[in-house]
Amino acid sequence: MFTVLKLGGSVITDKSKPKTAREDRIRRLMKVISDWRGDLVLIHGGGSFGHYAASKVSDLQKGVPEVRRAMHELLSIVEKAAVESGVRVYPVTPVTVLYSLNVLVELLERGCVPLLYGDVVPDLSGDGFRIMSGDEIAERVSWLGPDRVGFGMSVDGVYPRTPEEGEPLRELSPDEARDLARQLEGSAGVDVTGGIAEKLRRAARIAERGVEVYLFDARDPENVDRFLRGEHVGTGITR
């Protein structure tokens, strides 16, 4: 078995400032990951790199190089921090898993940590391109049957309304997650991939496959450590 961890763009970048990575935090998170000995697929979001670049192009079909270049800048920062921390990452272009997940199986068997990221990919329903978010990648990777999937966010979990109102919800069923997704829209900063509502919908589909899903605050490395060790953290979504 293996674990899937998606570090959101709001965790590893400052989404209010274009192309601003939180490099100290990234290094702390990679240290936690390096200390864990399980099999892992690691995914990161676009944050103030990919989301910002995508929001600035008037036509995504013509702006593919600009958006991809921004995402590769962030990938390079994450990869460097991982390697320096001793995490044996192997970057995988997201378009690869759009067609097949076999490469992830091969890399895990060889002791690598596949590193994926949000990117622009061919739109298989047409002749253009579209954005494939880190959340979508996490859902796609869940087809391989991990034991748990974690969505690392910049809030403590899923709230019934906003982070300023009440406490985060401890547990949600897939149906409850979908109902809540219909009520919640948007997220802080620039986000072109659906925010918390889309995250909840994808988490619900993952949970329906019998995989435990947790949405939690990954700004604190201790929470990431707890997630990797199999503890309940943030909001859990289970079937």
Side-chain angles (χ1 to χ4, degrees), residues 66-122:
E66 287 79 9
V67 178
R68 298 200 72 228
R69 184 166 62 247
M71 278 308 306
H72 290 169
E73 286 181 41
L74 182 55
L75 169 66
S76 178
I77 293 170
V78 174
E79 181 184 13
K80 182 174 184 290
V83 171
E84 290 178 348
S85 297
V87 183
R88 196 182 179 200
V89 292
Y90 192 111
V92 177
T93 304
V95 70
T96 302
V97 299
L98 182 64
Y99 294 96
S100 173
L101 296 170
N102 290 341
V103 66
L104 303 184
V105 176
E106 296 288 345
L107 291 172
L108 288 169
E109 288 179 349
R110 287 162 174 76
C112 294
V113 174
L115 175 59
L116 297 119
Y117 50 94
D119 201 0
V120 180
V121 300

Side-chain angles (χ1 to χ4, degrees), residues 135-149:
D135 293 343
E136 179 183 348
I137 294 170
E139 181 189 350
R140 187 172 291 270
V141 174
S142 74
W143 295 350
L144 291 174
D147 54 354
R148 53 174 33 203
V149 173

Side-chain angles (χ1 to χ4, degrees), residues 1-187:
M1 297 294 285
F2 67 99
T3 297
V4 178
L5 173 61
K6 189 257 180 166
L7 297 174
S10 61
V11 173
I12 63 172
T13 76
D14 183 341
K15 293 182 75 172
S16 69
K17 299 177 181 178
K19 294 188 177 182
T20 304
R22 300 187 186 274
E23 296 191 40
D24 287 345
R25 181 180 293 165
I26 294 171
R27 284 191 288 270
R28 291 195 299 271
L29 292 171
M30 290 305 161
K31 178 61 171 62
V32 168
I33 292 171
S34 71
D35 290 339
W36 187 63
R37 291 294 175 260
D39 293 331
L40 179 70
V41 173
L42 184 60
I43 305 164
H44 72 77
S48 62
F49 287 75
H51 290 295
Y52 180 79
S55 71
K56 290 302 178 182
V57 296
S58 57
D59 183 352
L60 179 62
Q61 308 311 313
K62 296 178 181 178
V64 170
E66 287 79 9
V67 178
R68 298 200 72 228
R69 184 166 62 247
M71 278 308 306
H72 290 169
E73 286 181 41
L74 182 55
L75 169 66
S76 178
I77 293 170
V78 174
E79 181 184 13
K80 182 174 184 290
V83 171
E84 290 178 348
S85 297
V87 183
R88 196 182 179 200
V89 292
Y90 192 111
V92 177
T93 304
V95 70
T96 302
V97 299
L98 182 64
Y99 294 96
S100 173
L101 296 170
N102 290 341
V103 66
L104 303 184
V105 176
E106 296 288 345
L107 291 172
L108 288 169
E109 288 179 349
R110 287 162 174 76
C112 294
V113 174
L115 175 59
L116 297 119
Y117 50 94
D119 201 0
V120 180
V121 300
D123 186 346
L124 301 185
S125 65
D127 57 2
F129 292 85
R130 67 177 182 85
I131 293 173
M132 186 179 192
S133 70
D135 293 343
E136 179 183 348
I137 294 170
E139 181 189 350
R140 187 172 291 270
V141 174
S142 74
W143 295 350
L144 291 174
D147 54 354
R148 53 174 33 203
V149 173
F151 290 92
M153 309 185 298
S154 58
V155 291
D156 292 332
V158 179
Y159 289 76
R161 291 181 180 83
T162 69
E164 291 75 30
E165 297 183 39
E167 297 293 325
L169 301 165
R170 178 176 172 81
E171 298 280 355
L172 287 170
S173 69
D175 285 342
E176 289 171 335
R178 272 189 289 267
D179 288 342
L180 187 56
R182 285 191 282 268
Q183 302 173 39
L184 301 175
E185 293 295 336
S187 62

